[in-house]
Amino acid sequence: MAGSGAPQDRLNRVVRVIAQNMVAEVCSIYLARAGGVLELFATEGLKEEAVHLTRMTVGEGLVGLVAERGLPLNLSEAPQHPRFSYRPETGEDIYHSFLGVPILRTGRVVGVLVVQNVTPRRYKPEEVEALQTISMVIAELVASGELVDKQELTEDSGSTGEPITLDGLTLAAGVGAGIAVFHQPQVQITRTVAEDIEEERKRLEDAIAEMRLQLEEMVEHPDLAHGGEHREVLETYRMFAYDRGWQEKMRDAVSSGLTAEAAVDRVQQENRMRMYKIRDPYLRERISDFDDLAIRLIRIIQGDKSKYRADLTEDAVLVARSIGPAELMDYDRQYLKAIVLEEGSTTSHVTIIARAMGIPMLGRVTGLLTHVEAGEPVVVDSASEHVYVRPAEDVLESYKATLKLQEQLLAEYAAERDLPAETRDGEKVTLLMNAGLLVDLPSLDNTGAEGIGLFRTEFQFMVAPALPKVDEQTKVYSAAIEAAGDRPVVFRTLDIGGDKQVPFLPRDEEENPAMGWRAIRIALDRPALLRYQLRALLYASAGRTLNVMFPMIAEVAELRRCKVILNKEIARLAKYDKVPPKEVKVGCMLEVPSLAWQLDLLVQEVDFLSIGTNDLMQFFFACDRSSPRLANRYDLLAPPVLSFLQSIFKACDKAGVPVTLCGEMGGKPIEAMALVALGLRRLSISPTSIGPVKRMIRSVDLGSLRDFVFSNLQSAEHSIRDSLVHYARDHNIKL
């Protein structure tokens, strides 16, 4: 490949050499062209006239399948495969064995390398590895643009300067606008094949050690240690650098004959293509973390100490395929107004960091990198889930006005932070916030929240390769209690399972995981999990009040089993001379409708009750909230919903048991208005919702509102939402 001659001639020589060395009757190279087309560029064994004539789309035939999956395909009887596609112009019908490997460049399939034999055989692992190594070299030639013009691959990119709107998925809410700045920490690998394998092993090991040292320094940096901000996510990120499986794969790649940097790149490209197709949210969220680590590792191997990120000097929208959490934190928050990704996950670490930093972010924007050029104006709107590239002047002016209003509202909410959430006729409402990470804790002071009504404990477990030790859990819980000071913190025990898998628990496929083996069902089947967590919570609450609640309780008998385990752990404190909490308050989540028919018994067992409307409402309506077809089918302001909730509020009030609503429903001003009218006096909501909900409460005359809402409870309408909106407008209620 490095020899002289035209690129096409070099490609022709490559297929001949491969065919000879692998004793294959056929070796072919297909390269990707614009529009998702794969074109035969060189062959040894097929008809020469088929070169540049034979074309297929990604997903078509066996070659298209390799490109679609981004993974090798090894078949001893190719014609029997359901995707086999016969092309008469190539004369390939006599060949049985087929081995195809993707040609990958920066995580994208840019071609397919194929060998075929007449005799049925299954190619050996070392032969697959050899082709993968060769494909990396071919990828570098493709990247040069000598074979396929780079412009051709982006000819449909909209780079004509015309306005274009792209769709995405909201990862972090908000509106942001600025010039496009590309985050491209890509590295150039110029040396692929090792000359001295032992030397390459040493380069890899030295680089791993150096990367670990850098990450240790990053986590211990004073700016991050202060207040615990972002620390937990970065500690998890650091943990990935010690992943043994990742390191062993890179060592094996070096042993196969690659340079240290090529080994890192190949393993990461394989990881990306596999992980991108996995449905498990825990595994998918690790893609960008490993991308970040791989790039850092390659830069260390190559001795590259240059700065790869752009310095922001004006309002900017960061554009990337993916980005790691540590990389995001390198950017100046003053100018970073939004982030747009081709990939991204609602549960990824970088999403969590973006939310904590208050930066709007959209992900899953197909074709993003081919539709945007650096320096172009971009507007990101999470509400509409649109990215406006080169927006028309009227659109830009409209969003500038929206941004100005947004800034004005944020300033007003900040000014009202210390004002009480009290209605005009003197009814007090307690506003608490939901949290789940140490990075969320500064919002307690920033928003004026009166405590944490829901601290989700599962994140620490979701990102850990093994069950976190008691002292590790204690450290997190202690930090949350310290940050809250005199304000209460309500810890929800593990709500894992369903869409929140943990790597250290075996899991089976479930047809309906939301209603399957999850939350308290796992905890009671694996009591050691619950005991260790309760032990850590008791240790963290020494001398103070512990508020603990159990999720997904379906019957009082389950709650009693949880309390037995808790009491055993409380008794254990005395046995080991541990300082007990000053007080232990026990509650549970009401999110399974069956529990509502045991309220008389339940209120005798708990010190407080929390309503989790996210799950409760999908069970109430038998409606999967993740289904796009059902997303707007049912309304939370439907009369049966409000009547059901009102009966719970009434029962708790009669028993003197505080009840808090923790779901997303409470964070929306119009829904919160209805809930307060029905008698709810405690809401635990996202930090960003506290300002708008408090403003609504302070503008309400509760007596009049209560009469209006109660008069609508018996309505046969689908929802009373429109009626409430009109009422709010007529009575100057701020929504």
Side-chain angles (χ1 to χ4, degrees):
M1 292 300 295
S4 59
Q8 181 67 57
D9 294 336
R10 282 184 275 164
L11 217 55
N12 293 338
R13 290 201 296 270
V14 166
V15 293
R16 285 197 295 272
V17 170
I18 295 173
Q20 291 168 7
N21 281 273
M22 292 190 67
V23 194
E25 280 84 17
V26 173
C27 177
S28 306
I29 294 174
Y30 297 81
L31 297 183
R33 308 207 69 150
V37 172
L38 295 163
E39 179 180 313
L40 179 63
F41 258 70
T43 187
E44 174 70 13
L46 298 182
K47 294 180 179 179
E48 289 186 14
E49 54 266 32
V51 173
H52 299 302
L53 173 66
T54 296
R55 290 188 171 196
M56 63 195 73
T57 58
V58 172
E60 180 185 358
L62 299 180
V63 174
L65 180 60
V66 174
E68 180 182 62
R69 295 172 59 215
L71 295 171
L73 183 62
N74 190 347
L75 302 171
S76 58
E77 283 291 352
Q80 295 180 12
H81 193 281
R83 286 282 191 96
F84 180 78
S85 175
Y86 174 58
R87 292 303 184 93
E89 74 272 15
T90 65
E92 65 175 337
D93 55 328
I94 62 171
Y95 302 108
H96 292 265
S97 306
F98 175 97
L99 172 60
V101 300
I103 301 171
L104 299 167
R105 173 69 181 167
T106 62
R108 296 177 180 278
V109 176
V110 296
V112 178
L113 174 58
V114 175
V115 292
Q116 294 171 272
N117 281 88
V118 172
T119 305
R121 57 168 295 204
R122 190 159 184 86
Y123 296 92
K124 299 176 183 177
E126 51 266 33
E127 292 175 305
V128 178
E129 285 189 4
L131 278 198
Q132 287 178 308
T133 301
I134 295 167
S135 74
M136 294 179 68
V137 182
I138 297 172
E140 295 304 318
L141 181 60
V142 175
S144 70
E146 296 178 88
L147 289 164
V148 179
D149 192 329
K150 294 179 182 179
Q151 293 301 315
E152 180 192 340
L153 297 178
T154 58
E155 66 181 14
D156 59 346
S157 69
S159 57
T160 58
E162 293 298 315
I164 186 171
T165 301
L166 304 175
D167 297 325
L169 171 71
T170 296
L171 303 180
V175 176
I179 63 165
V181 172
F182 279 76
H183 173 75
Q184 291 178 310
Q186 300 300 338
V187 287
Q188 187 77 19
I189 297 175
T190 56
R191 198 166 62 89
T192 306
V193 181
E195 297 176 1
D196 183 338
I197 289 180
E198 286 304 318
E199 175 61 25
E200 296 304 324
R201 285 191 181 123
K202 184 177 185 305
R203 293 177 72 218
L204 178 63
E205 297 301 331
D206 289 347
I208 290 173
E210 173 62 23
M211 179 184 65
R212 288 176 175 174
L213 181 62
Q214 289 182 8
L215 293 174
E216 297 289 346
E217 292 174 350
M218 181 189 301
V219 173
E220 298 302 327
H221 193 282
D223 289 345
L224 299 178
H226 180 67
E229 190 175 15
H230 308 309
R231 186 181 180 87
E232 184 178 348
V233 168
L234 287 178
E235 284 180 343
T236 302
Y237 175 80
R238 175 180 61 178
M239 178 190 72
F240 292 157
Y242 288 81
D243 186 276
R244 291 182 181 178
W246 183 51
Q247 294 168 37
E248 286 305 314
K249 286 180 182 178
M250 292 188 292
R251 292 175 182 129
D252 290 345
V254 168
S255 298
S256 74
L258 294 178
T259 61
E261 55 265 50
V264 176
D265 188 48
R266 192 180 87 182
V267 170
Q268 184 52 20
Q269 292 196 29
E270 291 173 359
N271 282 343
R272 294 192 81 263
M273 298 310 295
R274 285 189 176 93
M275 291 165 69
Y276 192 72
K277 294 170 175 62
I278 293 174
R279 295 181 63 185
D280 187 314
Y282 169 74
L283 293 175
R284 281 184 62 93
E285 77 171 19
R286 296 176 70 177
I287 295 175
S288 60
D289 294 324
F290 277 122
D291 268 346
D292 189 4
L293 289 172
I295 290 165
R296 286 174 183 268
L297 190 53
I298 292 172
R299 288 168 60 83
I300 293 169
I301 291 170
Q302 295 180 332
D304 182 1
K305 297 181 180 179
S306 62
K307 185 192 288 186
Y308 61 81
R309 64 169 176 81
D311 285 323
L312 305 184
T313 57
E314 58 182 306
D315 290 352
V317 173
L318 195 61
V319 176
R321 185 183 67 208
S322 64
I323 184 172
E327 292 176 318
L328 174 57
M329 291 173 62
D330 284 340
Y331 286 93
D332 189 337
R333 300 186 201 182
Q334 178 184 353
Y335 295 112
L336 184 54
K337 299 303 179 183
I339 306 162
V340 193
L341 305 177
E342 273 201 350
E343 298 173 358
S345 158
T346 55
T347 57
S348 71
H349 296 163
V350 73
T351 298
I352 292 164
I353 292 292
R355 289 173 183 164
M357 294 169 68
I359 302 172
M361 182 160 73
L362 253 61
R364 313 273 179 88
V365 183
T366 304
L368 172 68
L369 299 182
T370 59
H371 286 80
V372 185
E373 293 185 5
E376 293 182 326
V378 175
V379 173
V380 177
D381 183 357
S382 69
S384 65
E385 298 195 318
H386 289 332
V387 181
Y388 300 94
V389 183
R390 301 176 295 275
E393 193 60 34
D394 58 336
V395 174
L396 197 56
E397 288 301 318
S398 174
Y399 273 95
K400 283 181 179 178
T402 300
L403 286 166
K404 188 174 181 180
L405 179 60
Q406 179 177 276
E407 291 174 2
Q408 181 182 331
L409 281 172
L410 289 174
E412 291 175 4
Y413 296 150
E416 297 169 0
R417 180 186 61 188
D418 298 324
L419 296 176
E422 189 175 297
T423 65
R424 289 165 55 191
D425 46 354
E427 285 283 348
K428 175 75 169 63
V429 179
T430 300
L431 294 183
L432 308 162
M433 65 171 248
N434 297 333
L437 285 170
L438 300 185
V439 297
D440 297 328
L441 300 181
S443 295
L444 266 172
D445 294 324
N446 298 340
T447 63
E450 297 175 63
I452 298 175
L454 170 62
F455 191 94
R456 303 179 180 93
T457 59
E458 52 269 12
F459 179 77
Q460 188 184 16
F461 292 76
M462 290 170 64
V463 298
L467 174 65
K469 295 178 181 178
V470 172
D471 59 344
E472 294 172 345
Q473 296 182 49
T474 302
K475 188 176 179 181
V476 173
Y477 307 148
S478 295
I481 293 170
E482 289 292 338
D486 296 332
R487 293 165 291 193
V489 181
V490 179
F491 292 97
R492 182 180 70 186
T493 61
L494 276 178
D495 185 3
I496 55 175
D499 63 345
K500 292 181 282 191
Q501 301 290 352
V502 293
F504 52 84
L505 269 184
R507 50 190 180 272
D508 299 320
E509 289 294 325
E510 294 183 293
E511 288 191 14
N512 194 341
M515 300 175 73
W517 194 56
R518 54 171 287 203
I520 209 63
R521 297 165 182 176
I522 292 177
L524 291 175
D525 286 351
R526 300 285 189 273
L529 273 176
L530 185 57
R531 290 197 68 167
Y532 290 156
Q533 184 174 34
L534 291 173
R535 190 174 301 170
L537 286 166
L538 289 166
Y539 288 172
S541 305
R544 293 173 287 198
T545 298
L546 170 62
N547 299 285
V548 59
M549 66 178 174
F550 301 99
M552 202 70 182
I553 299 292
E555 58 182 7
V556 169
E558 284 182 329
L559 177 63
R560 286 177 173 169
R561 290 176 63 191
C562 296
K563 290 175 70 175
V564 168
I565 295 173
L566 174 60
N567 288 332
K568 285 181 179 178
E569 286 301 316
I570 293 173
R572 184 182 177 278
L573 294 175
K575 181 179 178 181
Y576 289 93
D577 295 324
K578 296 288 187 180
V579 178
K582 179 179 68 175
E583 183 181 20
V584 177
K585 293 185 177 181
V586 178
C588 78
M589 297 284 290
L590 198 162
E591 45 197 341
V592 180
S594 61
L595 193 59
W597 276 266
Q598 285 194 303
L599 274 176
D600 289 344
L601 289 173
L602 182 65
V603 294
Q604 299 174 42
E605 299 282 343
V606 296
D607 298 301
F608 62 91
L609 187 67
S610 293
I611 301 174
T613 51
N614 294 357
D615 272 329
L616 180 62
M617 287 300 103
Q618 73 168 340
F619 300 149
F620 186 82
F621 281 120
C623 173
D624 183 356
R625 59 191 170 109
S626 65
S627 170
R629 289 188 176 184
L630 300 177
N632 299 310
R633 184 64 174 262
Y634 300 101
D635 197 312
L636 296 184
L637 291 177
V641 172
L642 299 178
S643 296
F644 178 59
L645 293 175
Q646 194 258 342
S647 67
I648 298 171
F649 303 157
K650 188 176 180 180
C652 290
D653 183 59
K654 181 180 178 181
V657 173
V659 58
T660 304
L661 190 137
C662 298
E664 294 177 8
M665 180 181 185
K668 301 171 182 177
I670 188 70
E671 278 88 345
M673 185 175 81
L675 293 169
V676 171
L678 294 174
L680 184 66
R681 293 296 178 268
R682 294 172 63 87
L683 290 165
S684 188
I685 53 186
S686 69
T688 54
S689 297
I690 289 177
V693 171
K694 180 186 286 187
R695 171 167 285 199
M696 177 276 297
I697 290 169
R698 290 178 56 81
S699 65
V700 161
D701 183 297
L702 192 57
S704 172
L705 174 63
R706 184 188 296 115
D707 292 341
F708 178 79
V709 172
F710 272 78
S711 69
N712 279 270
L713 287 185
Q714 301 306 314
S715 170
E717 295 297 319
H718 168 67
S719 169
I720 68 168
R721 181 176 301 276
D722 290 343
S723 298
L724 278 173
V725 170
H726 290 309
Y727 177 91
R729 187 181 302 131
D730 294 341
H731 291 77
N732 297 317
I733 297 174
K734 298 178 179 178
L735 297 179

